[in-house]
Amino acid sequence: MKRWAQATRRLVETPWRLVFIALSCFSLLAASCALIAGSGTYTVTVTAWDRYVRLGTSAATVGDALKEANVVLGPNDYSFPTPEAPLTQGLDIKVVRASLAFINDGGRIRAIETAKDTVGEILSQAGVELGPEDAVIPPAEERVPDDGRIRIVRVTYADVIEEEVIPYTVERRSDGSLEAGLVRTLTAGKEGLARVEYSVRYEDGVEVSRQEVSRELVREPSPQVLLVGTLQEVTRGSDNIRFNKAIEVVATAYCPCVKCCGPYANGYTHTGLVAEKGVIAVDPRVIPLGSRVYVDGYGFAVAGDTGGAIKGSRVDLCFSTHEEALAWGMKRVKVYVIE
Ligand SMILES: [Zn+2]
């Protein structure tokens, strides 16, 4: 081990040995390039994707010289100068091998073998024609990216005519002859109609934006007119009833009997009142429990009960007897909420 190290050091330290090592390295480098030194008329060099050749040749054209250098051009490879060019002394011939580019043209992808550098050159080799607004990614003047992908976004325009509904406005008028809380429609609103022309921009067939070109009024909308009640006092028989609001409801009837209230009825309401005439069941979201009310055809009452079926504009009127409840049946009436 120690002797080997000493021998190596002696070898490296000797100047002549150093020269020998340098020469060896140089000849290795030279061997990596093919040197075809014939006794030709010209000495030229060929630089291809995989080799560098120095060639002595009597060939007349670049193409012949490439053959002698065993460089076979594929249909889309190219050499500079071109194969037809005459050979001259000292010429440096460069060969570029074709690679694949993938052109995504509005969603359709095609592969093309090309030795061109820029996107624009590749597209013209592929015979792709671009419209004035079509976009190319990367731009035509840039080099094709390493993955070979080129994207073309086709931009087109079309005129589109659409009918558009114009909503009507709502006009509310106070009406002193209508009870507060009630609203009546005096005039039904009517929607208008417009015919609108748009210029629509499509990218690869998909709409991306639109601009209004013209608008033609086909039909003017007409407003809806609502009458809003403000009346807060009505007369029923000898009673003057002042109220906060009136509600139109569907009123059904019941009595405390087993048929009306089930076998477990105890004769009391939800709020602990005795179930009797003058107590009505309400939806508390519409008429608050405890409200004093006047029900047309029934009289003064208290909103003192609720019921599973009493939802929204519905009330259930309690009568003393089953016969009276049956006689009422079901009616559409106004309830005046007094307080
Ligand atoms: Zn009953």
Coordinates of all heavy atoms in Angstrom, one line a residue, residues 254-257 259-260 322, ligand 1:
Y254 N -115.1 24.8 16.0 CA -115.1 23.7 16.9 C -115.8 23.9 18.2 O -116.2 25.1 18.4 CB -113.6 23.2 17.2 CG -112.8 24.1 18.1 CD1 -112.5 23.7 19.4 CD2 -112.4 25.4 17.7 CE1 -111.8 24.5 20.3 CE2 -111.7 26.2 18.5 CZ -111.4 25.8 19.8 OH -110.7 26.6 20.6
C255 N -116.0 22.9 19.0 CA -116.6 23.1 20.3 C -115.7 22.2 21.3 O -114.9 21.4 20.8 CB -118.1 22.7 20.4 SG -118.4 21.0 20.6
P256 N -115.9 22.3 22.6 CA -115.1 21.5 23.5 C -115.4 20.0 23.5 O -114.8 19.3 24.3 CB -115.3 22.1 24.9 CG -116.0 23.4 24.6 CD -116.8 23.2 23.3
C257 N -116.3 19.5 22.7 CA -116.7 18.1 22.8 C -115.6 17.1 22.3 O -114.6 17.5 21.7 CB -118.0 17.9 22.0 SG -117.7 17.6 20.2
K259 N -115.7 14.9 20.0 CA -115.6 14.8 18.6 C -114.7 15.9 18.0 O -113.9 15.6 17.1 CB -117.0 15.0 17.9 CG -117.9 13.8 17.9 CD -119.1 14.0 17.1 CE -120.3 13.2 17.5 NZ -121.6 13.7 17.1
C260 N -114.8 17.1 18.6 CA -114.0 18.2 18.1 C -112.5 18.2 18.7 O -111.6 18.5 18.0 CB -114.6 19.5 18.5 SG -116.1 19.9 17.6
H322 N -121.8 21.7 19.8 CA -121.4 21.1 18.5 C -122.2 21.5 17.3 O -121.7 21.7 16.2 CB -121.4 19.5 18.7 CG -120.6 18.8 17.7 ND1 -119.3 18.8 17.6 CD2 -121.1 18.0 16.6 CE1 -118.9 18.1 16.6 NE2 -119.9 17.6 16.0
Ligands
ZN1 ZN -117.8 19.6 18.9

